């Protein structure tokens, strides 16, 4: 695997401090751009498995933007953990490799990198208000195809699914209309097409 | 019916404690190191009747862990430790972390409070699996006695395969008492755990091609070659003989390649040889085998071997590109990859570039004689002490363990190894106190061998009590203390980095090590005179029991050469420390 960064060709031996071009090999990957990735981690559903995954991120200083987990196949005790993380390509490569080192981790799928991923989030949004604001909240909810799952004379709870930015946009629109609180699941993901993983 | 087939179908009923002993027996465990306590008493009771498993009673659980590590490192087998809940388990955290950092196969069995008391802050309760989750390769809390045998077999498999490491099995006391089914090790496997051992043929071919073109190649080998077994060391030697490529090694890899070989460069890294570090810096092809570009090896990473193509053979994919970007990564077992590479190199036709100019350059670096030191007739120089120890013991094929600090680096520089598994040191974690219990473990595995712990007077006091273990079990370990009354490496760094402000690095009060040895039932020897050193070392070797040797050395000697932190491989300090070697950025590094 070439690093693609154009390492200098071998030159005549040099002794003493290097004055020429600096090495292509940097520990500090500051020049790399931070990317956002969604990883699907397929694990054996055994005690402590989530702690192992989360502990790996905190122990090595990686970020978790969102995390969801549930058993997806009871017969084989398999759970799917979806993690949204950020890092430079170098860090993201390390995250995948370290996840694979964990004994109960069977597979790590980079949904973002596959370019065929679908990501969805579910949110419950509580909005309180009366009069015009209440009508407006309901009207916007209809545009976003949100369901009303609870209502009183002064409040609604909307249920909304969609990509994360759609949900954030909905929350932003509700803020002036009496937003009380938001509960979000975090991102779930799956790849398009007939193949698994 | 064969024994194997019998085990497969064997599903005997027994108590959890008996299952533990049966599983250890089936795994071929001959020696274990441990310390009893309330939550492991049922296992100890089952052990009482097990004549075929030798139990070494240590004096502190940390000692059990390091002894298991020493046993594992010197035999290539899995080390086993048995401790109780709570403090027993927390005292094991250091050796578990140590084994993790140095990839040592070890299984730790800990007792736990009964299942119904877990989470109640019961007496001697600790969340052992929680505490050891990040420092062990894997761990288990076994709550079902029927899963116990399977779990132990799986633990041994995980500890010893792939990149080896420590695995913890926490067993509540009620599970030890409960009756369950024993299953044999055959058929136990974990589908999600499948370390890759075979290299990709294209990658091997690519390396063979790089070797065929390289004018300034170097092998940079590490502990992975030792872990991979003696076949890996043999393959390395054969490949080197075929190619003539010079070899350096990390601290953990010493012995994989013979130090007596003309193409041996000495150790690489912070206290490595001038020739090894310069060759690493100026090579055009670096073949890293089972090493991990540790910061003690690379020095300043952005100036690390700037003009070389780099090949990295490692069984752990997360080691690849972690610190240094490589051109050809090979995820495989070192031994298998080296054998494949040897075949590929042999198969290639055509002449390889002449390595003579490269070796001439290396010889010029070698001629600097970087380990030279001023001799003295009046005080014992630490380098002289190790040199004499080496000369007087080399014919006996000794096993050497060390503590951590200056003495460790002097041992690495002045003691030379021609065979793998003879050098046990705490490389990654740098655990003071490792050496004596590790020596106990080594001596258990090799009862007739000469086992020496090269120690410092500060380190030895961290696990001093294990001398008592050595006395009890007639393990004739020799503890060779380089006593300069200082925490030498701390003092050296304070001299180098902190304007000679020696904050809390001097031991105002030290024990009389000779009397201490006698009090513990061992033999004590003191030497302050370089002219008497040889005869006293011989006295130590010839004494049939454990010996504590108080070797009074030069007090303010520095361990050189040295790559100051934040510097490159070709910026070594060879002679005297002036205090200006490290810049502001380097000062912040460890």
């Amino acid at each position: 695997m070439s690093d693609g960064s154009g390492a200098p060709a071998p030159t005549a031996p040099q002794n003493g401090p290097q004055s020429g071009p600096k090495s292509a090999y940097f520990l500090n990957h500051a020049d790399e751009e931070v990317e956002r990735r969604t990883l699907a981690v397929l694990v054996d559903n055994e005690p402590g498995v989530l702690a192992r995954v989360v502990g790996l991120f905190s122990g090595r200083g990686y970020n978790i933007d969102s995390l969801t987990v549930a058993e997806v196949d009871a017969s084989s005790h398999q759970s799917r953990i979806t993690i949204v993380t950020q890092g430079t390509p170098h860090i993201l490569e390390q995250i995948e490799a370290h996840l694979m080192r964990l004994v109960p981790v069977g597979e790590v799928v980079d949904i973002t990198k596959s370019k065929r991923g679908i990501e969805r989030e579910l949110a419950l949004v509580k909005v309180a208000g009366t009069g015009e604001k209440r009508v407006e909240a309901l009207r916007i909810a209809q545009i976003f195809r949100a369901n009303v799952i609870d209502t009183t004379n002064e409040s609604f709870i909307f249920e909304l699914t969609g990509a994360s930015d759609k949900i954030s946009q909905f929350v932003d629109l509700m803020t002036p209309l009496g937003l009380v609180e938001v509960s979000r699941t975090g991102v779930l993901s799956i790849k398009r097409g007939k193949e698994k993983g | 019916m064969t024994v194997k087939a019998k085990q497969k179908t064997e599903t005997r009923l027994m108590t959890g404690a008996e299952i533990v002993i049966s599983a250890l027996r089936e795994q071929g465990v001959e020696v274990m190191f441990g310390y009893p306590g309330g939550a492991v008493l049922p296992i100890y009771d089952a052990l009482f009747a097990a004549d075929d498993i030798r139990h070494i009673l240590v004096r502190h659980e940390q000692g059990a862990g390091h002894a298991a590590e020493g046993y594992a490192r010197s035999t290539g087998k899995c080390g086993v430790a048995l401790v109780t809940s709570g403090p027993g388990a927390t005292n094991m955290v250091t050796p578990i972390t140590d084994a993790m950092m140095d990839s040592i196969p070890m299984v730790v069995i800990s007792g736990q409070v009964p299942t119904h008391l877990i989470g109640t802050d019961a007496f001697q309760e600790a969340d052992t699996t929680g505490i050891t989750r990040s420092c062990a390769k894997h761990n288990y809390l076994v709550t079902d006695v029927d899963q116990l045998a399977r779990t132990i077999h799986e633990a041994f498999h995980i500890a010893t395969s792939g990149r080896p490491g420590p695995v913890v099995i926490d067993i509540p006391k009620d599970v030890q008492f409960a009756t369950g089914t024993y299953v044999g090790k055959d058929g136990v496997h974990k589908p999600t755990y499948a370390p890759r051992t075979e290299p990709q043929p294209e990658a091997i071919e690519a390396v063979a091609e790089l070797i065929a073109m390289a004018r300034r190649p170097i092998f940079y080998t590490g502990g992975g070659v030792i872990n991979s077994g003696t076949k890996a060391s043999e393959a390395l030697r054969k490949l080197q003989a075929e190619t003539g490529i010079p070899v350096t090694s990390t601290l953990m890899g010493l012995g994989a390649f013979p130090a007596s070989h003309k193409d041996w460069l000495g150790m690489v890294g912070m206290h490595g040889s001038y020739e090894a570090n310069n060759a690493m810096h100026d090579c055009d092809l670096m073949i890293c085998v089972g090493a991990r570009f540790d910061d003690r090896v690379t020095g300043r990473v952005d100036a690390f071997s700037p003009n070389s193509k780099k090949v990295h053979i490692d069984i752990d994919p997360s080691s690849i590109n972690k610190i240094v970007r490589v051109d050809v990564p090979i995820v495989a077992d070192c031994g298998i990859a080296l054998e494949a590479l040897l075949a590929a190199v042999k198969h290639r036709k055509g002449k390889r570039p002449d390595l003579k100019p490269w070796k001439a350059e290396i010889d010029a670096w070698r001629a600097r004689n970087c380990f030279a030191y001023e001799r003295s007739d009046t005080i014992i120089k630490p380098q002289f002490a190790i040199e004499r120890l080496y000369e007087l013991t080399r014919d006996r094929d000794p096993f050497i363990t060390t503590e951590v600090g200056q003495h460790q680096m002097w041992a690495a520089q002045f003691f030379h190894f021609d065979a793998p598994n003879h050098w046990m040191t705490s490389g990654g974690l740098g655990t003071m106190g490792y050496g004596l219990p590790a020596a106990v473990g080594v001596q258990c595995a090799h009862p007739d061998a000469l086992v020496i712990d090269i120690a410092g007077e500060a380190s030895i006091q961290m696990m001093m009590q294990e001398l008592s273990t050595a006395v009890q079990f007639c393990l004739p370990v020799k503890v060779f203390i380089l006593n300069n009354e200082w925490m030498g490496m701390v003092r050296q760094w304070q001299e180098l980095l902190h304007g000679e402000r020696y904050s809390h690095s001097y031991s105002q009060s030290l024990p009389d090590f000779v009397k201490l040895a006698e009090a513990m039932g061992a033999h004590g020897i003191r030497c302050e005179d370089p002219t008497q050193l040889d005869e006293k070392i011989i006295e130590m070797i010839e004494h049939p029991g454990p010996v504590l040797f108080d070797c009074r050395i030069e007090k303010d000697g520095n361990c050189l050469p040295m790559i100051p932190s934040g510097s490159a491989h070709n910026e070594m300090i060879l002679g005297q420390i002036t205090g200006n070697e490290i810049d502001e950025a380097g000062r912040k590094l460890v």
Side-chain angles (χ1 to χ4, degrees):
Chain A
M1 186 166 78
S2 167
D3 63 43
S5 56
T11 56
Q14 293 168 342
N15 222 340
Q18 297 281 301
S19 52
K22 277 233 177 159
S23 166
Y25 305 95
F26 285 95
L27 177 61
N28 182 359
H29 297 262
D31 51 336
E32 290 186 337
E33 292 222 5
V34 171
E35 296 171 17
R36 193 183 168 95
R37 290 284 172 83
T38 304
L39 304 175
V41 186
L42 301 173
V43 300
D44 279 354
N45 185 17
E46 58 184 40
V49 63
L50 183 62
R52 285 182 211 284
V53 170
V54 173
L56 163 67
F57 276 75
S58 63
R60 293 190 183 265
Y62 307 143
N63 297 307
I64 296 182
D65 286 357
S66 99
L67 179 136
T68 67
V69 55
E71 189 169 76
V72 289
D73 185 350
S75 64
S76 64
H77 300 287
Q78 203 174 64
S79 287
R80 185 177 177 113
I81 302 176
T82 307
I83 302 170
V84 180
T85 183
Q86 292 186 43
T88 60
H90 167 252
I91 293 289
L92 294 165
E93 193 182 306
Q94 281 286 300
I95 290 174
E96 271 191 59
H98 281 296
L99 281 169
M100 283 307 294
R101 276 178 83 180
L102 298 177
V103 171
V105 171
E107 200 182 347
V108 179
V109 185
D110 187 329
I111 299 282
T112 312
K113 211 167 150 190
S114 76
K115 306 222 187 294
R116 292 168 54 227
I118 300 177
E119 297 181 12
R120 287 292 180 270
E121 210 180 332
L122 184 145
L124 301 176
V125 181
K126 187 181 283 182
V127 179
T130 53
E132 265 309 299
K133 284 189 175 175
R134 181 174 163 85
V135 175
E136 179 65 4
L138 195 58
R139 208 177 61 81
I140 292 171
Q142 280 165 353
I143 295 168
F144 277 77
R145 294 193 206 121
N147 296 321
V148 177
I149 56 169
D150 176 73
T151 183
T152 67
N153 286 335
E154 293 169 5
S155 70
F156 290 119
I157 295 174
F158 298 112
E159 175 201 79
L160 177 69
T161 58
S164 297
D165 51 353
K166 173 180 160 181
I167 289 169
S168 300
Q169 202 185 355
F170 181 75
V171 170
D172 286 348
L173 288 169
M174 287 298 143
T175 306
L177 301 177
L179 181 75
V180 178
E181 66 177 325
V182 183
S183 176
R184 299 170 71 148
T185 57
V187 173
L188 294 175
S189 68
I190 204 157
K191 272 208 274 188
R192 290 177 197 275
K194 65 178 181 183
E195 283 84 21
K196 200 183 165 193
Chain B
M1 195 156 47
T2 65
V3 175
K4 203 172 179 187
K6 196 176 168 188
Q7 280 168 349
K8 207 168 201 172
T9 51
E10 188 176 53
T11 50
R12 282 177 291 150
L13 279 179
M14 54 179 91
T15 68
E18 288 163 349
I19 287 175
V20 171
I21 301 303
S22 300
L24 293 179
R25 188 175 288 135
E26 193 182 338
Q27 290 291 339
V29 175
E30 291 161 355
V31 185
M32 62 199 289
F33 306 89
Y35 203 101
V40 273
L41 284 179
I43 297 176
Y44 270 89
D45 199 40
L47 196 58
F48 194 64
D51 295 333
D52 51 342
I53 299 179
R54 189 169 179 215
H55 178 272
I56 304 295
L57 176 67
V58 295
R59 297 298 182 267
H60 184 294
E61 286 90 351
Q62 188 184 342
H66 293 318
E69 285 187 90
Y71 177 87
R73 192 74 180 162
S74 68
T75 59
K77 292 194 253 180
C78 190
V80 180
L82 174 61
V83 296
T84 192
S85 64
T90 56
N91 280 341
M92 277 301 295
V93 169
T94 300
I96 292 169
T97 314
D98 193 277
M100 185 71 175
M101 291 285 266
D102 287 344
S103 308
I104 309 294
M106 175 163 81
V107 167
V108 175
I109 296 170
S110 58
Q112 181 55 280
V113 300
T115 318
H116 69 275
L117 287 177
I118 290 177
T120 65
D121 300 322
F123 177 65
Q124 291 194 329
E125 184 188 356
D127 175 11
T128 302
T129 46
I131 290 167
T132 58
R133 193 172 285 130
S134 63
C135 64
K137 183 173 176 185
H138 196 51
N139 63 17
Y140 302 90
L141 171 64
V142 184
T143 52
D144 175 1
V145 68
D146 286 322
Q147 292 298 318
L148 185 54
R150 197 194 64 80
T151 303
I152 295 170
H153 296 313
E154 192 177 287
F156 272 86
H157 174 59
I158 289 170
T160 53
S161 60
R163 181 175 179 177
V167 178
V168 180
I169 310 167
D170 199 27
I171 311 173
K173 194 170 183 180
D174 56 328
V175 175
Q176 299 170 31
F177 276 127
T179 303
T181 308
Y182 180 81
V183 293
K185 68 178 173 182
D186 294 317
V188 170
H189 89 124
K190 179 92 178 154
T192 57
Y193 176 76
R196 191 172 148 185
T197 55
E198 299 289 333
Q200 280 181 305
E202 315 86 79
I204 292 293
E205 212 38 60
V207 180
E209 191 169 333
L210 287 172
I211 289 176
M213 297 189 310
R215 292 174 184 282
R216 314 161 63 77
I218 187 170
F219 279 117
Y220 150 44
T221 65
V225 183
I226 312 262
N227 277 338
S228 178
T230 46
K231 277 182 83 176
S233 295
E234 281 165 29
L236 173 67
R237 290 159 192 228
K238 282 185 201 155
L239 182 59
Q240 196 283 332
E242 178 68 25
T243 59
I245 298 175
V247 184
T248 183
S249 156
T250 64
L251 181 71
M252 294 306 294
L254 297 178
F257 190 75
S260 53
H261 196 285
K262 65 178 170 45
D263 287 321
W264 168 247
L265 298 172
M267 182 173 74
V268 67
M270 187 172 270
H271 292 287
S273 77
Y274 185 70
E275 49 271 31
N277 285 326
N278 274 287
M280 285 283 275
H281 189 267
D282 284 355
C283 65
D284 67 357
L285 174 63
M286 179 185 293
I287 306 169
C288 169
V289 190
R292 57 183 178 87
F293 298 92
D294 178 83
D295 55 82
R296 284 294 179 275
V297 161
T298 59
R300 203 173 94 208
V301 178
D302 63 358
F304 177 72
S305 192
N307 300 322
S308 60
K309 289 274 182 201
K310 296 176 183 68
V311 174
H312 189 181
I313 302 172
D314 202 302
I315 201 160
D316 178 3
S318 76
S319 287
I320 308 277
N321 291 338
K322 183 172 70 175
I323 309 290
V324 168
R325 286 252 152 209
V326 294
D327 302 281
V328 186
I330 297 178
V331 176
D333 178 275
C334 291
I336 298 173
L338 285 169
E339 278 168 12
L341 192 52
L342 176 63
V345 165
K346 276 188 169 165
H347 187 255
R348 280 184 88 84
K349 304 275 184 296
K351 224 169 139 239
R352 282 190 291 269
D354 186 5
L355 298 183
K356 272 191 200 128
W358 175 226
K359 290 193 180 174
E361 218 174 315
I362 288 170
D363 284 340
W365 289 320
R366 227 191 276 270
R368 290 290 295 270
N369 198 7
C370 66
F371 295 124
Y373 60 91
E374 222 174 291
R375 309 264 158 176
S376 167
D377 298 334
T378 49
I379 51 167
I380 301 176
K381 291 276 185 171
Q383 299 92 335
F384 178 72
I386 305 286
E387 258 178 8
R388 294 316 303 158
L389 186 67
Y390 171 64
E391 290 301 334
L392 295 168
T393 61
R394 58 187 297 185
D395 294 339
R396 297 170 187 249
D397 195 23
F399 290 82
I400 302 295
T401 71
T402 75
E403 313 286 335
V404 169
Q406 281 184 323
H407 66 273
Q408 178 190 28
M409 293 297 110
W410 281 317
Q413 292 172 340
F414 291 89
F415 214 99
H416 306 294
F417 299 91
D418 282 350
N421 304 102
H422 282 62
W423 164 248
M424 274 60 54
T425 193
S426 171
L429 194 64
T431 309
M432 291 170 73
Y434 168 89
L436 175 54
V440 164
V442 174
Q443 192 81 74
C444 287
H446 310 273
D448 301 323
L450 175 62
V451 181
I452 306 171
D453 169 28
I454 297 178
E457 86 292 333
S459 280
I460 192 63
Q461 291 183 81
M462 286 211 178
M463 281 272 116
M464 184 76 242
Q465 72 286 349
E466 297 308 324
L467 193 60
S468 183
T469 306
V471 171
Q472 178 176 342
F473 292 92
C474 303
L475 303 166
V477 298
K478 318 298 180 199
V479 183
F480 190 75
I481 304 171
L482 295 182
N483 182 353
N484 59 7
E485 298 173 14
W486 287 89
M487 289 154 221
M489 196 58 95
V490 173
R491 193 207 58 76
Q492 178 169 340
W493 278 59
Q494 286 171 336
E495 180 181 344
L496 196 60
L497 287 160
H498 296 281
E500 299 181 45
R501 290 183 297 281
Y502 299 119
S503 180
H504 304 279
S505 51
Y506 184 72
S507 302
Q508 300 280 348
S509 154
L510 281 170
D512 178 330
F513 286 108
V514 173
K515 282 187 184 160
L516 183 62
E518 283 160 9
M520 293 176 100
H523 181 52
I525 300 174
R526 177 170 297 120
C527 185
E528 306 175 66
D529 180 351
T531 60
Q532 289 177 2
L533 187 58
D534 278 20
E535 65 181 86
K536 297 213 167 167
I537 288 176
I538 290 166
E539 180 191 341
M540 173 183 89
I541 300 167
E542 286 178 352
H543 183 79
V547 177
L548 205 53
F549 192 116
D550 182 12
C551 185
R552 298 292 184 91
I553 57 162
E554 177 190 26
K555 295 210 194 313
D556 55 357
N558 283 319
C559 185
L560 294 170
M562 177 180 187
I563 302 175
S565 50
S567 299
H569 273 169
N570 57 353
E571 299 169 351
M572 289 197 88
I573 308 173
L574 284 172
Q576 288 296 310
I577 288 175
T578 62
N580 299 317
E581 285 83 0
I582 298 185
D583 61 13
E584 233 4 85
R587 232 170 270 266
K588 290 179 187 133
L589 299 170
V590 283

